[in-house]
Amino acid sequence: MKTKKLVAVMLFIGLCLFSQAQTNQKSSDPDNLAKEYFSQIMGVASNATTNTKLYQFVYEWLGTPYRLGGDSRRGIDCSKFSLAVYENVFNTTIGYNSRNQYANVTPVRKNDLQAGDLVFFKIRSRSITHVGVYLGDDKFAHASSSRGVMVSDLNEAYWKRYYYNGGRPKVEDNRIMTADANPKEKSNLN
């Protein structure tokens, strides 16, 4: 009887230690920590932060001032910002202005947007005048003319009013790039 109790206690302690080790391993995973961090900073649910490289790139540019035609950390405009995101995160070149970028995407409905897709706006114009990069949970990163690189919500009245469409850049041989593709998936596209 004492032996059974001793074995049961030992198994219970072993199970508790194993469970604790698993919990510690999950919380110290660098990707999980990064996702949690970017999730809090950008207001995107952690389960929506699928591409850590995208969020890290956006984070590094937050607060960069707006400069029409600018393409550096001293100042950048919206289309150069989206171009920089695609060149640095997805190794893909897209157009140099928002209208040209829209001409090179496959339209995506608002409900089907994925992290990394482009979002386009017609602000007081009949043509596209602004572009941003979708992050998830209705949030997008862009270079605002008034506040520089920032994260905004598509549901804010201003952005809701001028939203035109979303788009996913096309890739060679008519396949569509998946906005949250990991490097292994990307290499299969080339």
Side-chain angles (χ1 to χ4, degrees):
M1 184 77 168
K2 286 185 179 184
T3 307
K4 284 184 179 179
K5 284 184 181 179
L6 183 60
V7 169
V9 168
M10 295 296 279
L11 284 173
F12 179 74
I13 291 171
L15 182 60
C16 289
L17 290 173
F18 178 76
S19 176
Q20 183 65 32
Q22 292 291 70
T23 303
N24 287 343
Q25 186 178 19
K26 285 181 184 174
S27 66
S28 64
D29 177 20
D31 283 338
N32 278 343
L33 291 174
K35 285 180 182 183
E36 288 294 323
Y37 179 72
F38 295 131
S39 166
Q40 291 174 6
I41 287 182
M42 295 181 199
V44 178
S46 62
N47 63 350
T49 54
T50 56
N51 188 330
T52 306
K53 189 174 179 182
L54 169 64
Y55 299 100
Q56 181 174 355
F57 184 85
V58 169
Y59 173 74
E60 291 170 357
W61 281 79
L62 286 176
T64 300
Y66 179 86
R67 191 175 91 209
L68 183 61
D71 62 0
S72 72
R73 296 204 192 239
R74 290 182 295 151
I76 194 163
D77 67 21
C78 65
S79 56
K80 295 295 188 319
F81 177 70
S82 57
L83 174 66
V85 168
Y86 268 84
E87 286 180 341
N88 290 283
V89 175
F90 301 109
N91 295 323
T92 301
T93 300
I94 56 177
Y96 289 94
N97 64 52
S98 56
R99 287 180 294 280
N100 185 272
Q101 289 173 0
Y102 188 73
N104 291 303
V105 300
T106 299
V108 176
R109 290 187 332 211
K110 196 174 189 179
N111 292 341
D112 296 328
L113 288 169
Q114 297 175 12
D117 286 342
L118 297 171
V119 287
F120 298 91
F121 302 87
K122 291 183 175 181
I123 301 172
R124 295 181 208 95
S125 175
R126 290 184 180 195
S127 58
I128 293 169
T129 58
H130 191 65
V131 62
V133 179
Y134 188 72
L135 299 174
D137 280 351
D138 293 325
K139 304 287 192 300
F140 68 103
H142 62 115
S144 160
S145 59
S146 61
R147 295 182 39 203
V149 176
M150 61 183 290
V151 174
S152 295
D153 192 319
L154 288 172
N155 294 317
E156 291 174 22
Y158 180 84
W159 298 113
K160 201 175 214 179
R161 178 179 179 187
Y162 294 115
Y163 180 81
Y164 176 65
N165 207 355
R168 190 165 299 141
K170 300 173 188 174
V171 293
E172 296 169 19
D173 47 14
N174 295 326
R175 286 182 279 173
I176 299 171
M177 188 192 91
T178 303
D180 61 350
N182 66 38
K184 288 180 184 175
E185 290 171 341
K186 267 183 90 175
S187 63
N188 292 335
L189 294 176
N190 294 334

